[in-house]
Amino acid sequence: MDQIFAFDDRLLNAAAAAEKAAEEQFAEIGRIAQHGTAKVLRAFQKYRVSAACFAGANGYGYDDVGRDTLDKVWADVFHTEDALVRHHFVSGTHALSTALFGVLRTGDTLISVTGAPYDTLEEVIGIRGSGSGSLADFGIQYKQLDLTAEGRPDYDAIPQAVRGARVVYLQRSRGYSLRPALTVPDIRRIVTLTRQTNPEAVIMVDNCYGEFVEYDEPTDAGADLIIGSLIKNPGGGIAETGGYIAGRAKLVEQCAYRLTCVGMGKEVGCSLNQCRAMYLGLFMAPEVVANARKTGVFAAELFRQLGFECLPEAGSTAGDIITVLMLRTPEAMEAFCAGIQAGSPVDSYVTPEAWDMPGYESKVIMAAGTFTGGASIELSADGPMRAPYAVYLQGGLTYSSGKLGILTAAQRMLDTGRL
Ligand SMILES: *Cc1c(COP(=O)(O)O)cnc(C)c1O
């Protein structure tokens, strides 16, 4: 380590040991990035991406070549029939909500087979909040197959549970939970079990935080629709906002009808000046995801050295970019998050405080000094202020900056007596 930042020797020694322990994982992450980059590069070539695609369009956006070509490129990368990649999605939750309202009809049943969905979706579904305007309000029934005590899908129960459901919903990432992320092989198993009793079900995957983490994507495992945010993995830290839905053409069209209007769907919605950032972001994404993964692996190995439990467990396959550090006390969480903030390139001088974030059930503390507001592909740490005081760490546009951020956080814990 260079001497620009003065970290304690104890931390520097632990960091060296952590990088040694991470060598094999880093090598595998590099191989996955190489594969992801090849997929993206080939798609750009196949669909003849050119400067004309970056020019953008205004008004209604008829024949918006940048937008239409990006949809094709995206579908090619994720091996789907079609895709809807839009800056008009205000967030991942909006894209997920659009997909659910796009596909489900009154009288249909939605079943989540990975337990409780991400916090922000509870109000969309209508299991929290006033319910007004939710899926429940439109007569869509919600069922949930809880995870096992080990936080794994209840595979044996899936064939029976999904009978009659229109949408079988899976969340790939762990989200704010301690269960492991689903890997693509896990998803393949769920798809197979679902098809045994419900071949017609739409298998929808919340793919947030999962893109480019493995060689394959859920759509390679038979999922019908995947949904995600462009200020997470597939935006590569470059896309300024947006989300995507990709999968079977008929379903993507239904989602486009919901996003814009019935009959207009994908034909409208101008790209404005967002195209270049979305293309460049997708191009960068496999490598940026690798940097984020390496940052997370480094953090886990470092905090193991320092005596904390961390997830994913050593030796397990990652399915998302999240690393969980079990910091055990609210004070340690605050010190860690303050250090992540202080180690950021943007807003390094502010101190994060826990607050009642809209859509979340308990107070949440968030540290993020990002170029793009709320972009969690950039180094960020957050967590609900509740036992077991686990901090969820994700992002890192470059490994070098990610590592400095983690060390700054550890140093802050040391300085405040939390290590
Ligand atoms: C981030 C996330 C969402 C919601 O995305 P927002 O962009 O924050 O609305 C949904 N599911 C998972 C697993 C996520 O990580």
Side-chain angles (χ1 to χ4, degrees), residues 336-366:
F336 181 88
C337 289
I340 289 291
Q341 189 74 40
S344 299
V346 180
D347 294 336
S348 60
Y349 53 87
V350 305
T351 306
E353 274 177 29
W355 64 300
D356 288 303
M357 193 176 160
Y360 292 83
E361 208 174 359
S362 36
K363 281 199 177 198
V364 176
I365 188 163
M366 302 193 135

Side-chain angles (χ1 to χ4, degrees), residues 91-94 96 118 120 171 173 175 206 208-209 229 232 360:
S91 65
T93 304
H94 182 208
L96 286 157
Y118 196 74
T120 56
Q171 180 181 307
S173 169
D206 173 354
C208 285
Y209 285 140
S229 162
K232 294 181 179 173
Y360 292 83

